């Protein structure tokens, strides 16, 4: 794909009402991607701040005077005719009654129903950021044996982690340990088994695919009720993950790591260049910690995935 010369910065709002519903705008027949639903907003003009642009756009589109709230994320997205950067802000307070002033339909949607609406590629990562965990634990492959590993997993989940890739210790009976982990913690967190599709199907949990597995599969390996994720390191793997209908992917390494000493680090610039070519929710991985979530979201990630910085026994005292 030839990179387009036109770059635009769009500011959009996640507008919530007293019931926690979120407002979506439907693109009209005269616009790009007509018929798709999106978070309302528009292009930031020269000389405008993001706040000024969003206030103006919401006044023009919806007839409301908005109080712009906290920053959510930024999504770089490459379209055939432009390179877009979507900046997203929360709006919880406004004056007036929202209505489609430009002839567009609007609707209020419960947050857990957003996935039912067809949306432009840049808006899809935002939906993920609104209700999916910002940290994804990858359990270490060794240390403390089976009981020590289970104790570490319990501590991590008790500490608030809600999405975990289970890589069981090599010395253990991996299938039996996975069954134990699912029995103990499957109601408290989203668990995904590393690579083992058949065992994931048996246990009713998710699977996390390796990059080479992606290229060997012709269809999503589990039903929609079970999460499917993947580790990706290049564009071909990302595109395969999207084609298979993966729920999210992990992309990296962003920085050099001890666990993959020979891997070439992408850096945040390299991460963005891959991020903008797919619409999948992505976690950044590689030398990152919870403190890097904001940075990750500035480059279009849902959050960070990590081993060392999220596993209690490996964190500095």
């Amino acid at each position: 794909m030839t990179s387009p010369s036109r770059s635009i910065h769009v500011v959009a709002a996640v507008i919530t009402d007293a019931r926690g519903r979120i407002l979506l705008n439907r693109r009209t027949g005269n616009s790009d991607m007509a018929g798709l639903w999106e978070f309302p907003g528009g292009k930031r003009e020269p000389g405008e701040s993001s706040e000024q642009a969003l206030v103006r756009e919401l006044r023009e589109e919806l007839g409301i005077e908005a109080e712009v709230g906290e920053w959510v994320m930024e999504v770089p997205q490459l379209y055939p005719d432009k390179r877009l950067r979507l900046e997203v802000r929360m709006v919880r307070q406004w004056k007036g009654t929202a209505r489609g002033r430009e002839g567009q339909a609007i609707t209020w949607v419960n947050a857990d129903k957003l996935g039912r609406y067809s949306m432009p590629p840049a808006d899809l990562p935002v939906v993920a950021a609104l209700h999916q965990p910002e940290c994804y634990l990858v359990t270490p492959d060794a240390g403390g044996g089976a009981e020590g590993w289970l104790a570490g997993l319990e501590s991590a989940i008790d500490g608030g982690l809600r999405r975990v890739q289970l890589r069981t210790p090599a010395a253990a009976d991996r299938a039996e340990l996975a069954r134990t982990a699912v029995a103990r913690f499957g109601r408290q967190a989203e668990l995904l088994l590393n690579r083992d599709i058949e065992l994931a199907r048996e246990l009713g949990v998710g699977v996390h695919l390796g990059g080479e597995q992606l290229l060997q599969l012709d269809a999503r390996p589990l039903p929609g009720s079970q999460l499917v994720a993947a580790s990706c390191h290049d564009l071909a793997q990302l595109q395969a993950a999207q084609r298979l209908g993966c729920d999210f992917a992990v992309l990296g390494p962003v920085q050099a790591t001890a666990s993959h000493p020979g891997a070439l680090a992408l850096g945040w610039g390299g991460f963005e260049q891959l991020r903008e070519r797919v619409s999948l929710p992505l976690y950044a991985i590689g030398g990152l910690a919870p403190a890097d979530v904001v940075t990750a979201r500035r480059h279009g990630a849902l959050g960070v995935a990590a081993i060392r910085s999220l596993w209690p026994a490996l964190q500095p005292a």
Side-chain angles (χ1 to χ4, degrees):
M1 178 188 294
T2 302
S3 295
S5 58
R6 185 165 67 106
S7 296
I8 63 172
H9 188 124
V10 169
V11 191
V14 177
I15 303 174
T16 59
D17 66 6
R19 294 165 55 185
R21 299 178 303 172
I22 295 171
L23 190 147
L24 294 182
N25 220 17
R26 194 171 194 180
R27 298 179 70 88
T28 65
N30 297 323
S31 60
D32 293 340
M33 295 176 282
L36 298 183
W37 295 89
E38 66 182 357
F39 298 102
K43 181 179 176 182
R44 191 176 74 182
E45 300 294 345
E48 283 187 317
S49 67
S50 294
E51 291 82 0
Q52 289 169 335
L54 190 55
V55 168
R56 174 183 54 76
E57 287 285 350
L58 296 182
R59 181 187 302 127
E60 293 171 358
E61 287 186 11
L62 301 173
I64 62 173
E65 294 296 324
E67 183 177 319
V68 179
E70 67 268 29
W71 175 91
V72 177
M73 71 183 304
E74 295 178 23
V75 182
Q77 192 72 48
L78 189 63
Y79 290 103
D81 62 335
K82 60 181 174 288
R83 173 171 272 114
L84 180 142
R85 190 169 201 88
L86 178 66
E87 179 183 350
V88 184
R89 304 288 293 269
M90 295 297 301
V91 171
R92 294 186 172 89
Q93 298 184 36
W94 68 91
K95 295 178 181 178
T97 300
R99 62 191 187 280
R101 294 190 67 206
E102 299 174 342
Q104 79 278 23
I106 66 170
T107 188
W108 290 95
V109 182
N110 291 328
D112 61 348
K113 302 296 192 299
L114 287 172
R116 299 181 179 181
Y117 289 76
S118 296
M119 304 178 81
D123 291 68
L124 296 175
V126 182
V127 174
L130 293 177
H131 64 84
Q132 295 189 34
E134 63 185 23
C135 291
Y136 180 37
L137 167 65
V138 182
T139 63
D141 193 40
E147 287 307 314
W149 183 85
L150 286 167
L153 180 57
E154 181 176 24
S155 180
I157 292 173
D158 285 348
L161 287 169
R162 290 294 174 264
R163 179 171 281 176
V164 181
Q165 180 192 156
L166 299 178
R167 295 195 314 168
T168 49
D173 181 333
R174 292 190 167 198
E176 187 58 34
L177 189 52
R179 290 188 179 94
T180 300
V182 171
R184 289 192 191 180
F185 310 116
R187 293 181 180 275
Q188 299 168 256
E190 296 174 339
L191 304 180
L192 296 89
L193 301 189
N194 177 254
R195 297 175 179 268
D196 196 331
I197 297 169
E198 291 307 316
L199 185 57
R201 184 178 290 115
E202 173 195 326
L203 298 178
V205 297
V207 68
H208 186 103
L209 303 171
E212 76 288 350
Q213 286 180 291
L214 286 170
L215 303 178
Q216 298 167 0
L217 292 168
D218 296 321
R220 181 184 170 98
L222 295 176
S225 59
Q226 293 172 253
L227 290 173
V228 177
S231 291
C232 297
H233 307 286
D234 57 34
L235 181 58
Q237 291 176 349
L238 280 174
Q239 290 175 331
Q242 184 159 286
R243 173 179 53 81
L244 289 173
C246 287
D247 297 288
F248 64 91
V250 171
L251 176 61
V254 174
Q255 301 174 5
T257 65
S259 58
H260 295 84
L264 181 65
L266 293 172
W268 286 116
F271 182 93
E272 273 205 22
Q273 288 174 10
L274 294 172
R275 149 82 286 166
E276 69 179 5
R277 293 178 180 268
V278 294
S279 58
L280 272 174
L282 297 180
Y283 288 100
I285 196 169
L288 304 176
D292 297 303
V293 167
V294 171
T295 299
R297 289 196 168 191
R298 290 202 180 279
H299 297 279
L302 163 60
V304 300
I307 303 172
R308 181 170 298 275
S309 67
L310 294 177
W311 188 253
L314 297 177
Q315 294 174 30

